[in-house]
Amino acid sequence: MSASPPDLKQRITQSLDAPIDPAVAEFARSLAQEAGGIEGDEGGESVKQGAQAVLFYGSNLRTGSLDGVLDFYVLLPGDQKSRIWPIVSYHECEYDGVTLRAKVATMALSTFAEAASGELIDTTIWARFVQPSALIWARDDAARTAVVDAACSAAVTSARLAAALGPASGTAKDYWRSLFRATYKAEFRVEKAGRENDILSVNADHFAGLLPLALDAAGMAYTSNAGRITPSLSASERSRILSWWKRRQRLGKPLNFTRLIKASTTFEGAAKYAAWKIERHTGMPVEVTPFRERYPLLAAPSVLWALRGHRKRK
């Protein structure tokens, strides 16, 4: 093996430092400020204990588009306050006369790091953040280092499971496919068949060469020949990893269903988000009244009735 564990950290650091549109960077800064991460004054800028970091991810990171809804994670200091995380909210930001929209997940950085390392039953963090993301705001060097370490842990956790789920020998894509196919099935959401191939094809540069680095960092031996990787997994080690996975697989759907239920009642800005989605997809403007903003579920029937009439008139 030609790589060593520090190479993974270098690779992840470079990935997290991907160039970002100034509009997205400003949005991230405003999210950090809302969470208490930045406090400005006339003499410059001081920083208080608040948001630790803001991560940007999703299809807009890859395409550079500002259209649609941007995806952010805001990571906070201290212990996780809510047992069911993350807290999801919808935000809008004006930049050079353009309205940017974002779905924001908020949670403690310490819990994010635990989840990335596979210590928790959650599957969403390490499976999500082995994919591309950008660290576009950090409170200080310590926060930045913590996020980089967490992203490295996500890659190690993912690679270890990929090696156990995948073939005895195969290409890196074979292992990543096995991983994403399994994690999608374990979560409470519907993805079209072949979604794992889409992830790998649109993020080919990100995944190129990542698996060997992650296996090295995991301390998992393997051989590589002509583009094919053969992990040296003993039967007991494979059994241990699969046992770890089966527990998370079994609890994945109930956990994610619980999160969906919670989000339906705690999604901050849900009415604005729904109104934008309806107008974007149907052309029907939806007024966000104080009642609709406070009680989006109670307001839903009247909006759906109006939408039914709108479609009939078209």
Side-chain angles (χ1 to χ4, degrees):
M1 295 180 290
S2 60
S4 58
D7 288 329
L8 176 66
K9 188 166 186 176
Q10 182 180 18
R11 168 70 175 270
I12 294 297
T13 300
Q14 291 173 347
S15 178
L16 289 172
D17 286 340
I20 296 298
D21 189 297
V24 177
E26 183 59 31
F27 205 157
R29 184 180 175 82
S30 72
L31 293 172
Q33 189 165 13
E34 273 188 56
I38 303 173
E39 183 179 34
D41 57 42
E42 293 182 0
E45 188 179 273
S46 59
V47 179
K48 62 183 179 181
Q49 294 290 331
Q52 298 292 283
V54 181
L55 281 161
F56 176 48
Y57 68 101
S59 61
N60 292 72
L61 170 63
R62 175 178 55 83
T63 64
S65 172
L66 300 179
D67 194 24
V69 177
L70 309 176
D71 291 295
F72 293 98
Y73 256 75
V74 174
L75 303 175
L76 304 178
D79 296 329
Q80 183 65 43
K81 294 182 179 179
S82 57
R83 295 181 65 184
I84 304 299
W85 44 263
I87 301 299
V88 182
S89 55
Y90 172 73
H91 298 254
E92 293 183 353
C93 177
E94 295 291 326
Y95 186 86
D96 282 349
V98 177
T99 301
L100 305 180
R101 299 170 174 84
K103 185 173 66 175
V104 179
T106 303
M107 64 184 293
L109 174 54
S110 59
T111 302
F112 180 85
E114 278 188 281
S117 67
E119 295 176 31
L120 307 181
I121 62 171
D122 173 77
T123 62
T124 60
I125 296 300
W126 48 264
R128 168 58 263 178
F129 287 95
V130 71
Q131 300 173 52
S133 62
L135 176 55
I136 51 180
W137 186 87
R139 184 176 66 86
D140 53 26
D141 289 342
R144 177 174 293 276
T145 297
V147 174
V148 171
D149 288 345
C152 289
S153 292
V156 168
T157 304
S158 299
R160 186 182 289 118
L161 180 58
L165 291 174
S169 181
T171 66
K173 286 186 177 180
D174 291 332
Y175 291 101
W176 291 128
R177 284 192 193 97
S178 297
L179 174 82
F180 292 127
R181 193 177 296 125
T183 53
Y184 278 132
K185 286 182 179 178
E187 296 172 10
F188 192 82
R189 58 177 176 171
V190 178
E191 295 288 349
K192 66 179 183 179
R195 171 61 175 160
E196 65 277 5
N197 293 320
D198 294 341
I199 292 175
L200 294 172
S201 62
V202 301
N203 299 303
D205 290 344
H206 173 80
F207 283 103
L210 179 61
L211 183 61
L213 297 181
L215 290 175
D216 282 338
M220 186 173 286
Y222 65 92
T223 58
S224 180
N225 183 36
R228 296 187 69 82
I229 295 171
T230 305
S232 301
L233 267 179
S234 66
S236 60
E237 178 69 359
R238 185 184 298 274
S239 177
R240 186 187 67 79
I241 295 171
L242 292 180
S243 177
W244 170 91
W245 167 241
K246 285 177 182 177
R247 180 167 183 263
R248 284 150 183 81
Q249 185 181 41
R250 184 172 65 252
L251 297 174
K253 283 185 172 63
L255 175 60
N256 282 280
F257 182 71
T258 302
R259 284 172 173 164
L260 287 172
I261 294 297
K262 179 177 181 177
S264 70
T265 58
T266 61
F267 192 142
E268 299 175 30
K272 288 183 179 178
Y273 178 66
W276 173 78
K277 290 280 284 187
I278 290 170
E279 183 169 4
R280 178 180 173 87
H281 291 287
T282 70
M284 185 188 84
V286 177
E287 181 185 2
V288 182
T289 64
F291 176 80
R292 286 174 174 173
E293 192 160 17
R294 187 173 182 181
Y295 305 107
L297 291 179
L298 293 177
S302 65
V303 174
L304 292 173
W305 183 258
L307 180 59
R308 182 171 180 269
H310 173 79
R311 284 173 169 165
K312 281 186 175 181
R313 290 191 295 272
K314 290 184 71 174

